[in-house]
Amino acid sequence: MKRVLVIWFSQSGQLRDIVESIARPLRDAPDIELTFAQIRPVKPYPFPWSFWRFFDTFPECIYADPDPVEPLDLPDGGFDLVILAYQVWFISPSLPTTAFMQSEQAKKLLKDTPVITVIGCRNMWLMAQERMKEQLAAVGARLIDNVVLAERTHGAISVITTPWWLLSGNRGPYINGLLPRAGVWESDIKAASRFGKAIATQLSHRSRDDQSPMLTGLGAVIVHPGLISSEMIVRRSFRLWGALLRACGKPGSFLRRVVLGLYVLFLIVMLLTIVPVVFVLKTLLSPLTRARIAQQRNYFAAPSGESMENMTPDMEVKA
């Protein structure tokens, strides 16, 4: 009997649905014992968010300074595989996920244990996964696969609909259907069961020391080349502004809120001016940077990769 632990934190319920889809074949496998554990902050984060609370969270996300979470209530004994599902907050793992990864329980639970990370997000996840790799390495875990379910709505639209969802709790569609429903497509969530099928098929034959991926060829991730440099630029910007905001006081303090207002104005100006210019420059320079981007794409797609060569007709992801 193989023991699988699924750890997750979700505010809206979207990540819970993703986890349930992946885990469904594992529930039906007679040789797998499945345990679910939801990360619970000691002081819950709001959903929907208030405008100021949402933006005031980003400095602590960038500098990995979370509020504590409750210990997971788990059965005795170790696990043969851990599936760790997390949201992306400001190109970082969500604060509750980071709090868990910094806990003594994570150090004991994940040491020398194979881990599959699962991400549900809008479109930017590369830098968050880099942070997650560091956190997994710090507790001695072994990352063997990564699955990313991101919104497929055009970024120019989702940059409106996703914040609308987070700040209102209304997932849409909006404006009488003019703007689509926010979040990961339901068809993609349903199709994520293919990952659970692959795990259920292979896990019984694997040793705990096997570090090879189980989800290769199943389209586990898609790396958008145009977002690689954008995420790196955003990360540098977040670190500079995050440091300034943290120097202004604790979350909610008056001076910090004033500077936060300036930062929101900066973001709006950047979206309207710098982002279009960077896009044009990247397009013009793409013939000169094709080889480098290909290397970056392979790196960020690892360990599972972007290939879909092992997908069968019943695993088809419908548009």
Side-chain angles (χ1 to χ4, degrees), residues 6-19 36-47 49 53 57 61 67-70 72 83-89 92-100 118-120:
V6 181
I7 303 173
W8 59 280
F9 169 80
S10 178
Q11 288 179 293
S12 67
Q14 175 178 265
L15 194 61
R16 178 199 61 215
D17 294 341
I18 293 172
V19 163
F36 281 87
Q38 181 180 0
I39 299 173
R40 300 183 185 277
V42 172
K43 183 179 179 181
Y45 290 88
F47 189 84
W49 291 86
R53 179 73 186 278
T57 302
C61 288
D67 290 334
V69 294
E70 301 283 356
L72 301 180
I83 299 174
L84 176 59
Y86 70 93
Q87 299 170 307
V88 175
W89 291 8
S92 304
S94 70
L95 284 175
T97 303
T98 295
F100 166 71
V118 176
I119 301 171

Side-chain angles (χ1 to χ4, degrees), residues 124-145:
M124 289 189 171
W125 58 270
L126 304 178
M127 297 299 103
Q129 184 65 0
E130 289 302 289
R131 296 290 294 275
M132 177 55 69
K133 289 176 185 177
E134 294 171 0
Q135 293 173 0
L136 290 170
V139 298
R142 294 184 282 110
L143 178 66
I144 62 169
D145 277 294

Side-chain angles (χ1 to χ4, degrees), residues 259-279:
V259 177
L260 190 59
L262 294 175
Y263 174 68
V264 172
L265 289 176
F266 165 79
L267 275 182
I268 294 172
V269 172
M270 185 176 67
L271 285 171
L272 295 176
T273 59
I274 297 175
V275 170
V277 171
V278 170
F279 176 79

Side-chain angles (χ1 to χ4, degrees), residues 26-312:
L26 303 178
R27 290 183 186 275
D28 299 333
D31 55 350
I32 291 178
E33 177 187 320
L34 190 62
T35 301
F36 281 87
Q38 181 180 0
I39 299 173
R40 300 183 185 277
V42 172
K43 183 179 179 181
Y45 290 88
F47 189 84
W49 291 86
S50 68
F51 179 86
W52 290 110
R53 179 73 186 278
F54 175 73
F55 282 102
D56 205 15
T57 302
F58 105 80
E60 280 62 46
C61 288
I62 292 298
Y63 283 91
D65 186 15
D67 290 334
V69 294
E70 301 283 356
L72 301 180
D73 184 13
L74 298 174
D76 294 334
F79 293 88
D80 299 287
L81 175 69
V82 172
I83 299 174
L84 176 59
Y86 70 93
Q87 299 170 307
V88 175
W89 291 8
F90 297 99
I91 65 170
S92 304
S94 70
L95 284 175
T97 303
T98 295
F100 166 71
M101 292 300 298
Q102 293 176 353
S103 69
E104 290 299 318
Q105 186 178 34
K107 295 176 183 178
K108 297 176 182 177
L109 183 65
L110 300 181
K111 182 176 175 57
D112 298 324
T113 301
V115 173
I116 295 175
T117 49
V118 176
I119 301 171
C121 64
R122 187 176 78 87
N123 60 4
M124 289 189 171
W125 58 270
L126 304 178
M127 297 299 103
Q129 184 65 0
E130 289 302 289
R131 296 290 294 275
M132 177 55 69
K133 289 176 185 177
E134 294 171 0
Q135 293 173 0
L136 290 170
V139 298
R142 294 184 282 110
L143 178 66
I144 62 169
D145 277 294
N146 180 38
V147 174
V148 179
L149 271 68
E151 291 191 42
R152 286 203 273 163
T153 304
H154 192 281
I157 297 175
S158 66
V159 77
I160 298 172
T161 57
T162 298
W164 196 336
W165 177 26
L166 296 179
L167 298 176
S168 71
N170 176 17
R171 193 170 179 178
Y174 310 96
I175 316 178
N176 294 322
L178 183 62
L179 295 178
R181 190 169 187 260
V184 177
W185 291 6
E186 291 299 325
S187 57
D188 288 347
I189 294 176
K190 183 178 179 180
S193 63
R194 68 186 184 275
F195 303 117
K197 292 177 182 177
I199 295 168
T201 300
Q202 300 176 54
L203 188 60
S204 61
H205 308 296
R206 288 171 62 98
S207 71
R208 187 182 171 92
D209 296 329
D210 192 342
Q211 299 190 45
S212 61
M214 286 193 282
L215 307 180
T216 301
L218 296 179
V221 303
I222 297 176
V223 178
H224 295 286
L227 292 177
I228 296 174
S229 59
S230 297
E231 286 207 38
M232 293 177 178
I233 293 170
V234 169
R235 179 174 63 177
R236 287 193 288 268
S237 172
F238 277 0
R239 288 193 64 83
L240 289 172
W241 279 95
L244 175 60
L245 285 162
R246 283 165 64 85
C248 291
K250 296 290 185 180
S253 63
F254 175 76
L255 179 58
R256 177 156 158 164
R257 180 164 290 193
V258 171
V259 177
L260 190 59
L262 294 175
Y263 174 68
V264 172
L265 289 176
F266 165 79
L267 275 182
I268 294 172
V269 172
M270 185 176 67
L271 285 171
L272 295 176
T273 59
I274 297 175
V275 170
V277 171
V278 170
F279 176 79
V280 171
L281 288 175
K282 286 192 295 188
T283 302
L284 294 175
L285 295 174
S286 59
L288 303 177
T289 59
R290 189 172 291 117
R292 179 169 174 268
I293 290 175
Q295 290 180 335
Q296 291 177 321
R297 189 168 181 170
N298 288 334
Y299 168 78
F300 287 116
S304 304
E306 297 182 90
S307 169
M308 298 183 181
E309 62 183 359
N310 293 334
M311 291 182 64
T312 56

